[in-house]
Amino acid sequence: MEFRTLRAFVEVVRQGGFSQAAKAVFATQSTVSKAVRQLEDEIGAPLLDRIGHRSLLTPVGEVVYRRAVKLLAERDDLIAELSEIRGLKRGVLKLGLPPVGSATLFAPLFAVYRQRYPGIEVRLAEHGSDQLEESLRAGEIDFAGALLPTSQDFEWQQVRHEPLMALLPAGHPLGGRVSIGIADLRDSAFILFDAGFALNRIILDVARRAGFEPQVVARSSQIDFMVQLVAAGLGVAFLPRLIAEQRLDPAVRLVRLDEPGTEWVMAMAWRRGAFLSAAAQAWLALVRELHSTALPDES
């Protein structure tokens, strides 16, 4: 059963005859007659009782007409909905963003995207980069904010490159230095993020390469709380410079961590070879538009 034959039959009923239906579907009268006969042959029963120049619905024809009207309406709705999605008037974008840096890096992107595509629903998931990568790998989100280097399973667009800063209590003996190595903090207690944050992995890996296992005294997902723990003298924490300088505290000193492999490089990642919806492609285009020249900030 084809939509073409259903449309011809419905128009014959609506227009009250074959000649008028032919005009409605931009076909010849013989083409419309053949379409209706094809439909009758397929169903195995007459749909129209032809009396002179009039055509009346048979009992079977009434059932087919009622169903055909609904089917054609659903088809039209489907076409319209797909057209809206392709035209970015509707759709869903699933983003995974880490708590560290999102307000600064991704909130402006989000605002521009919403302005350009107000009909797209944006669903946000907020976790550490490691956890977001698992969600991305499972197909639960379209994109994830991820720290580089990341898995070969993903493609990525770099968004920001920042050095890491050690946050030291004001009374710390190294607080007056311009930069320090991780080994200089061997005897200091560390304040790290909760599990699932890629920044933890960076800090722990570089400490182990320096030959020690840090004493971790606290873990949190709240940056402001971690800064206050440092201010209270509990230990040292680590943040990208961009974020650390937004949370200056008179009781905290910022000292650059001078260690290879500790740069904070944030990227927008997606599954390699994955299908990207029109909404997702628009997001990626915007990220590339605004961050295609993201380079290391060495100032």
Side-chain angles (χ1 to χ4, degrees), residues 239-294:
L239 289 173
R241 182 174 59 186
L242 173 73
I243 311 305
E245 290 181 346
Q246 293 175 346
R247 290 170 168 80
L248 296 177
D249 187 291
V252 175
R253 300 290 180 264
L254 302 183
V255 181
R256 181 167 178 158
L257 184 62
D258 187 12
E259 286 284 350
T262 59
E263 295 81 7
W264 185 81
V265 187
M266 178 58 66
M268 185 59 61
W270 64 98
R271 281 187 300 130
R272 188 176 299 277
F275 168 78
L276 295 179
S277 67
Q281 291 180 39
W283 172 260
L284 181 57
L286 179 61
V287 173
R288 285 173 168 164
E289 174 187 334
L290 299 183
H291 293 290
S292 60
T293 59

